[in-house]
Amino acid sequence: MSIFSNVQTAPPIEVFALTRAYNADHNPKKVNLGVGAYRTDEGKPWVLPVVRKLEAQLAADETLNHEYLPVLGLDAFSKAAVHMLLGTDCPAVIDNRALGVQSLSGTGALFVGAKFLQKILGYDTYYYSAPTWGNHKLIFDTAGFKQGRAYRYWDPATKNIDFDGMCEDLRNAPENSVIILHACAHNPTGCDPTDAQWKQIAEIMRERKLFPFFDSAYQGFASGDLDKDARTVRYFAKEGFELFCSQSFSKNFGLYNERTGNLTVVMKDAELAAAVLSQLTLVVRATYSNPPAHGARVVAATLTNKDLFAEWQDHIRVMSSRIIQMREALRDRLVKLGTPGTWDHITRQIGMFSFTGLTPQQCEYLGNEHHIYLLRSGRANMAGLNTNNIDYVASAIHDAVTKFPAA
Amino acid sequence: MALLNSSRRLGLSLRSVATPAAARCSSWWSNVEMGPPDAILGVTEAFKRDTNPNKINLGVGAYRDDNGKPFVLPSVRTAEKELVEAMMDKEYAGITGLPDFCTMAANLALGEGNRWVQDGLNVTTQCISGTGSLRVGAEFFSKFFTGPKVVWLPTPTWGNHIPIFKHAGMEVQHYRYYDPSTCGFDFEGAMQDIAKMPERSLIMLHACAHNPTGVDPRPEQWKEMSSLIHKKNIFPYFDMAYQGFASGDCERDAQAVRQFLNDGHCIALSQSFAKNMGLYGERAGAFSLICSDKEEAARVMSQVKILIRPMYSNPPIHGARIVSKILGTPALKQQWLGDVKLMADRIIGMRTKLRDGLAREGSTRNWQHITDQIGMFCFTGMKPDQVGRLTSEFSVYLTKDGRISMAGVTSGNVDYLAHAMHQVTK
């Protein structure tokens, strides 16, 4: 008898299943608002020109080889990533208390960080926003955390943050709980706390001795401004918090499949850095030994060269502004159509995603009837909208909402 | 070593930092103990500090050309240039990576046109090189294996096997493998230990070019092991990090894997393209499970994906695209086969030169194992004190177990090495 006889079929992961369904659909009007990847106004993936340029350079450079990177990654890359996140004027950076570990994009940074917290520091409780990115829970559970709890976040009634609920849940969190916070452009809601609200959150966390683990997947991509999108993490760092922050370069560099990321560690005491790094080294070594070089080389070269950096900032502004335009366009059309409900949240929200407020039934209808694919939660990738499909999508949403009014 | 290395990396100073007045709670990290330094890294660090012009680094686990330099395979350079011209996108690969890469990797291991791939019996996923592949495999066995959650590893084995499996929640046991008295394979010992393993155990086998000893079973010994393992209903997990790199012949290096499949085993296989394509830092590897039917393969595949998603979501594409381009383009594949043979031949040539050099030096010891062993590494049989002398007196750097990386040997240093080895062993 096979050793695999008892292996059950695992449930499909929704976002990938959605892409499969979209790909299998032959309707010419189909729209993919599922997986979080940027699209141009032509609905195509966009490899950033600065990335293409660098890749051509790298391929032509006969002095470059493919030797192993150190376990903790490409030095120049992680240093630049830390600086990009915290700013070179951050006290932690100046005092050499900010470390960087190159990781397998955002997921990899979260996993390595979570594994360290669980295995080395013995933390067993984590909190995630309700809702949060679909993979957060799986990552932390897999890393060995015993308790995963939600903190209130999205209020479907106001289509905004349930701030009081969030604060109450954080106040009730046991000491040493790891709190997953979205640095900006919350996934999936697109709703971020205000600066004043972040201040309050920080105070609660300081008082309750809660550990901040930021997820920064959209720095620059959200507002178009790197510093603006990092202001919350920087605030916490300046306030003396020790924290982890996972950084992804998938979206802001369009390097999705090169798995380029960084785990930033902010510590109070630089003398403890060596021990911490040595333990992170062991986690990495037993998981994948050392990270892939290619994406890190591209990012490092860009971040450390003035001209390339300027070119890249341009690309970020192109992407973020197109998305903002599409948000406005969608909201305007829904308002014009008189679609029941309020739609201001679409333009109030920021980043790749909008929590549209559409119900699972409405979303399913959009998929089956109109060949518009989005997650059952109502999360829609705004980058999937363009000048060619915006009218179609708006009228389809109107149709879905009027046909299946939300209770 | 790790401490100095890392502090240099980020310009850390180790002086105490005055805590700002605003901070009140103590650091979260005070109980973090220093992790043990990596033994192999230590060798390289010490080598770097040595100012002796004759110094040799035999700790390196990456191929070097006859000038001691890293070698980017010509076929790889060509493939990379072609990829740039192709202007491909950077969209997320699926969780299991590039489908073409997976199929080609499996076919490379199992043979073109093999019936397992043709019949869709293989579950193959792209992984983060060999380590990543082993970790996915370890996680899978830890979660789903219905035999004991123990992996039997040869003695000795690649150092990282142990933490990989332990981190995945598996226990580790050892079976006899290397015979220090012959510097060869302890076939009797291995067979005895296999015979004593509980039914439905999981056994790790190095497909070729055993790391760290370079000692491989002979074909007829593989046959007997296969038979006994089958009889005992033991599950074979092959680690193949050196296909092509060992003998210079990809087909030959995969013989053990194919033997077991032909004998009716369902196997697990981890492949790395770090060495045979020189793609070390690009992390191209694959994990395969051979299942008994398509339906089972579908179930297994669905679970493998769940294991990968929380670790890193989907794999890095660059290295896999290079591998796919090479294996999928006949002319490039031919060129690559030549490149890998070149590497293997250089290593084999150095083995011969070293052995001859020792004879010329007047050594009366039996050094046959140097040429009997295969692949990157050679277990010389030298003792720790001899190793210590090699380092302190001759600036030859290697690990305490007497393992040398043949990749660090060149026509420029082989005579010096032979001389040094003779001096400490006569």
Side-chain angles (χ1 to χ4, degrees):
Chain A
M1 181 159 111
S2 167
I3 63 149
F4 304 123
S5 320
N6 304 332
V7 175
Q8 307 287 323
T9 303
I13 294 166
E14 194 195 348
V15 68
F16 295 114
L18 201 71
T19 301
R20 269 198 303 278
Y22 170 83
N23 288 337
D25 189 332
H26 296 297
N27 187 300
K29 288 191 139 148
K30 66 179 180 174
V31 181
N32 188 358
L33 300 179
V35 73
Y38 179 79
R39 292 285 176 268
T40 62
D41 196 52
E42 288 78 41
K44 296 263 182 297
W46 191 41
V47 178
L48 306 190
V50 74
V51 169
R52 284 259 188 252
K53 183 156 68 182
L54 279 167
E55 289 196 312
Q57 273 176 30
L58 290 172
D61 188 346
E62 303 268 313
T63 68
L64 279 180
N65 57 47
H66 292 287
E67 291 297 289
Y68 288 124
L69 287 181
V71 174
L72 300 178
L74 186 66
D75 231 25
F77 165 80
S78 40
K79 199 170 185 173
V82 169
H83 290 172
M84 185 185 98
L85 178 71
L86 298 177
T88 44
D89 60 346
C90 174
V93 170
I94 294 168
D95 295 341
N96 297 319
R97 296 181 287 113
L99 323 172
V101 172
Q102 183 187 339
S103 61
L104 296 166
S105 206
T107 307
L110 286 160
F111 181 74
V112 167
K115 223 24 181 146
F116 173 92
L117 293 170
Q118 199 286 309
K119 197 168 194 282
I120 308 302
L121 297 188
Y123 295 156
D124 59 15
T125 304
Y126 71 99
Y127 278 74
Y128 52 91
S129 62
T132 194
W133 178 47
N135 206 15
H136 276 148
K137 204 170 177 309
L138 191 61
I139 293 170
F140 275 75
D141 289 346
T142 304
F145 277 76
K146 293 283 172 286
Q147 287 258 34
R149 298 183 187 153
Y151 58 86
R152 276 167 284 174
Y153 194 78
W154 171 253
D155 184 350
T158 59
K159 297 212 182 69
N160 212 327
I161 299 175
D162 174 4
F163 188 61
D164 289 340
M166 177 177 179
C167 288
E168 191 182 329
D169 291 341
L170 291 181
R171 272 195 213 97
N172 290 330
E175 191 172 308
N176 293 346
S177 296
V178 177
I179 315 296
I180 302 172
L181 301 163
H182 298 232
C184 71
H186 182 272
N187 176 359
T189 69
C191 260
D192 292 339
T194 62
D195 289 352
Q197 288 173 331
W198 273 121
K199 272 197 169 76
Q200 286 185 257
I201 292 166
E203 276 325 297
I204 295 170
M205 290 185 67
R206 194 201 304 280
E207 193 192 306
R208 297 293 306 145
K209 296 194 175 58
L210 308 176
F211 182 79
F213 198 148
F214 281 97
D215 184 349
S216 176
Y218 302 99
Q219 187 184 0
F221 193 91
S223 71
D225 182 332
L226 289 167
D227 298 322
K228 191 164 165 198
D229 290 346
R231 68 191 185 282
T232 302
V233 181
R234 292 180 187 185
Y235 174 75
F236 272 70
K238 255 204 190 97
E239 284 293 303
F241 280 89
E242 291 185 303
L243 58 89
F244 277 3
C245 180
S246 80
Q247 296 168 265
S248 167
F249 291 90
S250 290
K251 284 79 168 173
N252 56 17
F253 262 87
L255 284 172
Y256 306 93
N257 65 20
E258 300 294 358
R259 319 311 292 131
T260 309
N262 187 61
L263 174 69
T264 288
V265 177
V266 175
M267 315 177 58
K268 280 187 179 16
D269 187 347
E271 281 191 15
L272 301 171
V276 170
L277 286 176
S278 73
Q279 295 293 347
L280 287 166
T281 296
L282 295 179
V283 172
V284 169
R285 180 76 171 140
T287 314
Y288 55 89
S289 274
N290 44 78
H294 188 73
R297 281 177 164 164
V298 170
V299 172
T302 306
L303 295 181
T304 55
N305 176 297
K306 227 168 66 177
D307 297 327
L308 295 174
F309 184 71
E311 207 179 321
W312 175 59
Q313 283 186 299
D314 232 25
H315 299 332
I316 295 177
R317 281 190 284 265
V318 164
M319 292 191 285
S320 57
S321 59
R322 196 184 86 69
I323 289 182
I324 289 166
Q325 269 169 35
M326 286 299 105
R327 287 181 178 277
E328 284 161 7
L330 180 60
R331 193 210 61 180
D332 289 349
R333 275 158 183 73
L334 292 173
V335 167
K336 200 181 257 154
L337 287 169
T339 308
T342 55
W343 302 102
D344 285 344
H345 56 282
I346 293 182
T347 44
R348 207 177 45 236
Q349 291 160 0
I350 192 167
M352 184 99 69
F353 303 110
S354 168
F355 233 34
T356 55
L358 295 170
T359 66
Q361 189 182 35
Q362 292 164 347
C363 293
E364 203 181 318
Y365 177 75
L366 280 171
N368 294 334
E369 196 59 35
H370 292 288
H371 309 276
I372 295 171
Y373 295 84
L374 70 165
L375 295 190
R376 274 195 307 275
S377 61
R379 184 193 90 166
N381 178 7
M382 293 289 101
L385 296 173
N386 54 58
T387 51
N388 294 313
N389 65 24
I390 188 80
D391 290 327
Y392 176 68
V393 171
S395 48
I397 290 176
H398 180 84
D399 183 33
V401 171
T402 47
K403 195 156 258 142
F404 300 101
Chain B
M1 318 300 166
L3 184 148
L4 284 172
N5 192 34
S6 54
S7 54
R8 241 185 276 121
R9 278 179 349 108
L10 288 162
L12 289 177
S13 79
L14 298 181
R15 61 181 166 72
S16 213
V17 176
T19 26
R24 284 188 203 94
C25 34
S26 62
S27 172
W28 294 73
W29 319 118
S30 331
N31 325 327
V32 175
E33 284 179 13
M34 183 71 76
D38 186 294
I40 296 168
L41 187 71
V43 168
T44 302
E45 294 292 308
F47 168 81
K48 282 190 190 145
R49 285 195 301 270
D50 193 325
T51 51
N52 185 335
N54 290 324
K55 64 179 182 177
I56 307 178
N57 186 1
L58 299 179
V60 65
Y63 178 80
R64 292 287 176 265
D65 65 15
D66 201 46
N67 295 313
K69 297 275 179 288
F71 176 60
V72 178
L73 280 59
S75 50
V76 168
R77 283 229 189 274
T78 307
E80 276 192 293
K81 291 202 170 104
E82 288 185 19
L83 283 173
V84 164
E85 279 155 30
M87 305 256 279
M88 300 167 91
D89 66 38
K90 296 249 169 252
E91 293 300 286
Y92 287 122
I95 296 175
T96 55
L98 280 186
D100 279 352
F101 169 84
C102 293
T103 306
M104 289 193 247
N107 281 330
L108 182 69
L110 309 186
E112 284 304 318
N114 71 84
R115 63 176 177 83
W116 297 277
V117 175
Q118 274 194 348
D119 293 349
L121 301 180
N122 65 311
V123 168
T124 303
T125 173
Q126 183 188 334
C127 290
I128 319 284
S129 206
T131 305
S133 169
L134 286 160
R135 180 57 181 269
V136 169
E139 293 284 348
F140 186 85
F141 281 94
S142 182
K143 201 167 171 188
F144 296 106
F145 193 50
T146 50
K149 300 284 167 81
V150 177
V151 64
W152 289 82
L153 302 170
T155 310
T157 194
W158 179 47
N160 208 16
H161 275 149
I162 294 155
I164 289 170
F165 276 89
K166 284 203 163 146
H167 276 236
M170 298 278 285
E171 297 287 323
V172 159
Q173 296 264 46
H174 293 273
Y175 60 92
R176 277 171 287 173
Y177 189 87
Y178 176 72
D179 184 350
S181 63
T182 61
C183 296
F185 181 41
D186 181 1
F187 178 61
E188 289 306 320
M191 290 293 276
Q192 279 169 25
D193 287 351
I194 291 171
K196 282 194 289 211
M197 287 176 193
E199 294 248 331
R200 302 174 73 79
S201 288
L202 172 68
I203 186 170
M204 171 71 64
L205 301 158
H206 295 225
C208 65
H210 180 271
N211 178 357
T213 68
V215 169
D216 287 347
R218 287 196 305 274
E220 57 272 23
Q221 291 172 326
W222 274 124
K223 281 197 177 77
E224 288 199 47
M225 289 165 71
S226 171
S227 178
L228 178 59
I229 287 169
H230 205 258
K231 204 165 80 173
K232 299 228 35 173
N233 200 13
I234 291 171
F235 194 101
Y237 187 159
F238 280 97
D239 182 354
M240 186 154 71
Y242 299 99
Q243 187 184 8
F245 191 91
S247 69
D249 180 337
C250 283
E251 308 303 300
R252 192 164 147 194
D253 290 345
Q255 270 321 299
V257 173
R258 298 177 190 184
Q259 171 81 52
F260 273 61
L261 277 174
N262 282 321
D263 290 347
H265 296 272
C266 280
I267 66 167
L269 170 67
S270 281
Q271 290 171 270
S272 166
F273 290 91
K275 284 78 168 173
N276 59 13
M277 287 209 183
L279 288 174
Y280 307 92
E282 304 300 349
R283 321 308 292 130
F287 172 68
S288 290
L289 275 163
I290 305 301
C291 299
S292 44
D293 60 52
K294 267 195 162 121
E295 184 269 337
E296 179 176 274
R299 281 184 284 116
V300 168
M301 178 60 107
S302 71
Q303 294 293 353
V304 166
K305 288 180 180 176
I306 303 276
L307 294 173
I308 292 174
R309 174 81 167 147
M311 287 199 283
Y312 56 88
S313 277
N314 47 83
I317 227 60
H318 190 73
R321 277 181 170 164
I322 294 171
V323 175
S324 293
K325 188 122 257 297
I326 289 174
L327 295 181
T329 313
L332 272 179
K333 186 173 176 185
Q334 278 307 113
Q335 186 185 19
W336 170 63
L337 290 172
D339 291 341
V340 83
K341 186 168 190 318
L342 184 111
M343 292 192 287
D345 284 349
R346 191 185 91 68
I347 300 246
I348 291 166
M350 287 301 107
R351 288 181 179 276
T352 305
K353 278 209 160 85
L354 180 58
R355 186 180 158 187
D356 290 350
L358 282 159
R360 254 198 334 269
E361 287 281 326
S363 176
T364 52
R365 282 174 66 136
N366 180 358
W367 295 103
Q368 187 178 332
H369 51 282
I370 292 182
T371 43
D372 281 350
Q373 291 166 7
I374 193 168
M376 184 94 75
F377 303 111
C378 169
F379 243 39
T380 57
M382 288 187 288
K383 301 285 178 284
D385 58 303
Q386 293 165 328
V387 169
R389 283 187 60 202
L390 260 187
T391 305
S392 59
E393 292 174 34
F394 295 95
S395 295
V396 174
Y397 290 83
L398 65 161
T399 45
K400 274 209 280 291
D401 53 10
R403 181 193 89 160
I404 64 176
S405 166
M406 293 308 304
V409 183
T410 67
S411 50
N413 67 25
V414 65
D415 291 338
Y416 177 78
L417 176 60
H419 174 76
M421 282 173 67
H422 175 58
Q423 292 307 310
V424 305
T425 57
K426 66 182 181 191

